[in-house]
Amino acid sequence: MRKPRLMTPGPAPVPEDVLLELARPVIHHRSAEAKSVIIEVVAGLKDVFQTKNDIMILTASGTGAMEAAAVNTVPPGGKALILNAGWFSKRWGDICKAYGINAVMLDTEWGQPVDPDQVANALAQHKDTVAVMGTLSETSTGTGHPVEAIGKIVAGTEAVFAVDGISGVGAMECRADAWQIDLLAVGSQKALMLPPGLAFLSVSDKAWKKIDAFQSASYYFDLKKARKKMAEFDTPFTPAHTLLLGLKASLKRIREEGIENVWARHKRMSEAAQAGVQALGLELFSARPAEGLTAFRVPAGIKDSDIRGELEKRFGITTVGGQDKLKGKIVRVGHMGYMDELDVISGIAALEMVLSDLGMDIEPGRGVTAVQQVLIGSRALAAR
Ligand SMILES: *Cc1c(COP(=O)(O)O)cnc(C)c1O
């Protein structure tokens, strides 16, 4: 068997100390130990989210936190403005439709960042908007959206700002409070270095006011119930406690590195990956790349499944292709969470060999050199 190298934008690799936590005996969820775990992870999550707001812990994949945000803040028939720029932001619209929320789609071309001016215009036109739903890192296109600028605009209205930070939080700068994000949804299996199964949602006072104004249609994702229990560092239902033990360990890693250093590491990895890909003559898909993954266009004459298949077969590297209308058109490589600069170097080196074998005219070392140039330069800058 090949040494597995999971380079997907979720799930992402899990470090050994976290894996060991997962092997411990299951504890009871109403025990004193369980409570102390929740106290500790909530503090750690607040640091990662950069928030003083409440954080709810949900046992679900990341989409569960999105669903909880939508169904609890916007009553049926209420209006939500969806910043639709890819497969995952479209999901906000699908969730709204499932609950009878009036989803107004503000469409942005895939791969382009959402234009804050257009958000301002849409909000001026739809003054009854209850929530704006956007994305920090659109994983389907590898795009980072200008969440800070959008947050400023939404904050000047009655609407709350809900952000899907599932592949972004912990992989790129995101400050929930300073950027005026009312609801920030995150899943465990991306930059938080855990297996899938937990979702987190921060909730601002402005959002609680919307939530308290009506009774949501969801039983399991009732945030009022969650708030009541979280006040006692408990959850309404049995949480995935094994994962919470793992989370304690992964948050400790983040705390020791420092969240700003974690962001800086991802920024370096992402700039290096972009340089490496471009040095090989490949084209980046996104006009404003996210920092936890890199998406590039499949070069003419080669199939995306050949590139990904060879990476997997020869080197044990798992990557993903495009979703929906990008199927076959792009390759997406994750570098989030438990990843470092050498992972990017080896990933680009593998890509050089695979593309060469597939018949592209690749000078070996060219991509790797470009990666190293970025890394050497940014190290020198960081030291100054
Ligand atoms: C992974 C991802 C999701 C989906 O999360 P699940 O955990 O599969 O529910 C949603 N949004 C973004 C931006 C993602 O990257």
Side-chain angles (χ1 to χ4, degrees), residues 9 61-64 66 88 91 135 137-139 164 166-167 187 189-190:
S61 78
T63 306
M66 296 170 71
F88 288 106
R91 180 168 296 178
T135 318
S137 158
E138 174 53 72
T139 318
D164 166 0
I166 296 173
S167 72
Q189 79 276 26
K190 310 240 168 153

Side-chain angles (χ1 to χ4, degrees), residues 297-314:
R297 288 185 196 270
V298 175
I302 297 182
K303 286 214 293 273
D304 84 307
S305 53
D306 287 340
I307 300 175
R308 293 189 297 109
E310 284 300 308
L311 284 171
E312 181 94 50
K313 205 163 77 195
R314 285 195 63 187

Side-chain angles (χ1 to χ4, degrees), residues 18-70:
V18 177
L19 290 172
L20 285 172
E21 283 300 319
L22 303 180
R24 287 179 22 152
V26 174
I27 60 173
H28 192 268
H29 61 290
R30 308 285 185 217
S31 65
E33 186 187 358
K35 189 167 164 168
S36 82
V37 170
I38 293 189
I39 289 173
E40 191 173 329
V41 299
V42 166
L45 288 169
K46 285 187 178 185
D47 176 49
V48 172
F49 282 49
Q50 293 285 292
T51 189
K52 291 193 165 65
N53 291 336
D54 296 326
I55 292 194
M56 302 295 118
I57 296 172
L58 307 168
T59 293
S61 78
T63 306
M66 296 170 71
E67 181 156 334

Side-chain angles (χ1 to χ4, degrees), residues 5 143 153 162 176 183 196 213-214 225 252 286 298 313 353 355 367:
R5 298 169 192 269
T143 302
I153 291 161
L183 300 127
F214 73 105
K225 230 161 30 196
K252 181 164 172 269
S286 176
V298 175
K313 205 163 77 195
M353 290 183 264
L355 291 176

